[in-house]
Amino acid sequence: MADHVLVINAGSSSIKFELFAVDPGDALRSTLSGQLDGIGTHPHLKARDAGDELLVDRDLTAEEAADVQGAMQPLGAWLRGRLDGAALLAVGHRVVHGGAAHSAPVRVDAGIVAELRKLVPLAPLHQPNNLAPIEAIAATRPDLPQIACFDTAFHRSHPEVADRFAIPEAFYQEGVRRYGFHGLSYEYIAGVLPERLAQGRTVVAHLGSGASMCAVLAGRSVDSTMGFTALDGLPMGTRTGQIDPGVLLYLMQTKSWDAARLERFLYHESGLKGLSGISNDMRDLLASDAPSAKLAVDYFVYRITRETGSLAAAMGGIDGLVFTAGIGEHSPAIRERVCRNLSWMGLELDEAANVAGGPLISTAGSRVEARVIPTDEELMIARHSLATLRKADEGAAR
């Protein structure tokens, strides 16, 4: 019976999970995946096996899953039943912020959790929920290895000039710097690029409710659109993206907004939702005839176009553009508009291939190769978790 690695990706009201069997040679094979969503309101557990057969599709009571930490109990009980006695080697977690100290996955203990909790102000939407399942599992299974895999780690290869703000040195030393996020997604994409792009200069656009872009030079991140927090860069579902800090000073001085009010504005009231006044969902905006919806889409495309040029400049040119994540993988309309705007780079779109979803969506004569590549953050987390566990075992055996 194969051993397994469990991957947990927790958000504010949902827990995505995937179970991987460890086959000979430490090859990883997904056996089931699912999501427990509606936590705190209408919790619902749904999962399918690797053959897409429905394994569970049922509501839970609000008491069973009042919060993310509590939801781990019914989810854990269901997963233990699916393991049917097989060994669970480790649980790998997506943790959005690793700070300046972590450039690689790490086995979690109480000290690591305390260290990561200090980073909550830098990722208030994500970090508390990333840590909640870790603490829940530690309370019931302190013997079970847990591995934190960081969205910031892939970007630690940035040159210093890319990570600096033009502020006094003391702030940089205490950790006020550009970190970049979505690193697990970018790391996966970098590992599956075709040879020309793997050795070249590729801009990867991770476009979803959270959106960012990354300059990948010969497989390494050299710059990205997100910075100190996951607010910077592209407009997102409800997050501002780039904003002049003077706007925040204006709101503080003229409207007496405090930090909590600013946080709600920046993280929950802006982005596509704020621009359109309609929705944070790109599908709704593309289907709407409202001028404000058109403005939100236009702004999103404009910022992607502009950031592509900026990231290409950071690499001294561009060989490829990759679209990934929810919007990037599933919206031909957004891909078409971005590619049309980048025709000056020598990018020629293959319209039929784009509508079909690729993977190659540029023409044979296009100087810049455009592709659609589905990301797999969960597989990256499983790989990192198993590798970290094996490394620890080897160290203990010496």
Side-chain angles (χ1 to χ4, degrees):
M1 187 178 295
D3 296 333
H4 287 73
V5 172
L6 173 64
V7 170
I8 296 290
N9 185 346
S12 59
S13 62
S14 67
I15 302 172
K16 294 180 183 178
F17 56 90
E18 190 161 356
L19 196 60
F20 292 86
V22 182
D23 289 333
D26 279 352
L28 289 162
R29 171 174 49 87
S30 177
T31 60
L32 66 85
S33 62
Q35 182 165 318
L36 200 172
D37 58 17
I39 294 171
T41 53
H42 304 288
H44 186 87
L45 175 62
K46 187 173 184 178
R48 296 180 179 275
D49 67 13
D52 204 35
E53 181 180 343
L54 190 64
L55 300 175
V56 62
D57 187 7
R58 66 180 178 88
D59 292 328
L60 280 66
T61 66
E63 292 74 22
E64 285 181 291
D67 54 28
V68 171
Q69 191 161 356
M72 287 302 299
Q73 184 172 349
L75 176 58
W78 183 81
L79 287 168
R80 282 193 294 274
R82 297 304 308 180
L83 282 167
D84 194 26
L88 184 60
L89 296 179
V91 183
H93 299 265
R94 178 195 180 209
V95 178
V96 164
H97 217 306
H102 296 292
S103 58
V106 62
R107 183 163 173 173
V108 178
D109 58 23
I112 293 292
V113 170
E115 182 184 332
L116 296 176
R117 193 160 289 285
K118 294 177 182 177
L119 299 171
V120 166
L122 309 190
L125 287 188
H126 303 92
Q127 199 84 347
N129 301 304
N130 298 158
L131 298 178
I134 294 175
E135 294 174 317
I137 293 170
T140 58
R141 287 287 309 275
D143 58 313
L144 181 60
Q146 298 193 78
I147 313 298
C149 301
F150 302 105
D151 253 346
T152 49
F154 183 64
H155 302 297
R156 299 280 44 83
S157 56
H158 287 184
E160 185 178 353
V161 291
D163 283 351
R164 286 274 189 168
F165 294 112
I167 57 177
E169 174 70 15
F171 291 101
Y172 180 76
Q173 293 303 325
E174 70 179 60
V176 182
R177 60 186 72 182
R178 298 182 69 249
Y179 290 100
F181 297 89
H182 292 136
L184 291 162
S185 174
Y186 293 127
E187 185 178 8
Y188 175 82
I189 297 297
V192 296
L193 289 172
E195 185 174 358
R196 173 173 175 255
L197 301 188
Q199 300 302 317
R201 303 161 297 184
T202 304
V203 172
V204 183
H206 179 107
L207 308 178
S209 180
S212 70
M213 299 173 70
C214 180
V216 179
L217 177 62
R220 292 166 59 85
S221 172
V222 296
D223 207 343
S224 98
T225 57
M226 283 181 169
F228 181 56
T229 69
L231 278 171
D232 203 5
L234 301 178
M236 294 164 248
T238 61
R239 283 174 264 172
T240 56
Q242 184 185 37
I243 187 170
D244 184 338
V247 174
L248 309 185
L249 292 174
Y250 167 81
L251 295 172
M252 294 167 65
Q253 293 165 353
T254 65
K255 300 183 183 298
S256 300
W257 283 14
D258 60 10
R261 182 66 187 90
L262 285 171
E263 182 178 296
R264 190 162 76 250
F265 169 73
L266 293 168
Y267 280 98
H268 300 286
E269 298 175 351
S270 300
L272 299 178
K273 180 180 179 182
L275 274 171
S276 69
I278 294 172
S279 175
N280 63 345
D281 192 313
M282 181 57 71
R283 292 167 295 189
D284 294 338
L285 300 179
L286 288 170
S288 174
D289 293 328
S292 61
K294 180 180 183 302
L295 172 63
V297 175
D298 288 349
Y299 185 79
F300 187 67
V301 171
Y302 171 75
R303 293 301 311 193
I304 295 168
T305 304
R306 178 170 160 172
E307 295 294 348
T308 302
S310 174
L311 294 171
M315 296 184 289
I318 182 172
D319 301 305
L321 173 64
V322 172
F323 295 92
T324 194
I327 297 171
E329 294 172 26
H330 302 295
S331 179
I334 295 297
R335 294 195 301 263
E336 177 181 6
R337 292 187 58 178
V338 170
C339 290
R340 295 294 181 203
N341 285 356
L342 295 172
S343 61
W344 62 272
M345 286 183 164
L347 198 166
E348 297 177 3
L349 180 70
D350 182 325
E351 293 184 15
N354 179 48
V355 171
L360 180 66
I361 61 170
S362 53
T363 65
S366 179
R367 194 187 68 75
V368 175
E369 189 173 305
R371 288 185 171 268
V372 180
I373 302 179
T375 193
D376 197 337
E377 294 162 300
E378 286 73 25
L379 179 58
M380 276 316 312
I381 294 169
R383 287 173 177 170
H384 281 312
S385 299
L386 186 59
T388 302
L389 189 66
R390 296 302 194 217
K391 186 176 180 180
D393 290 344
E394 290 171 6
R398 290 195 185 101

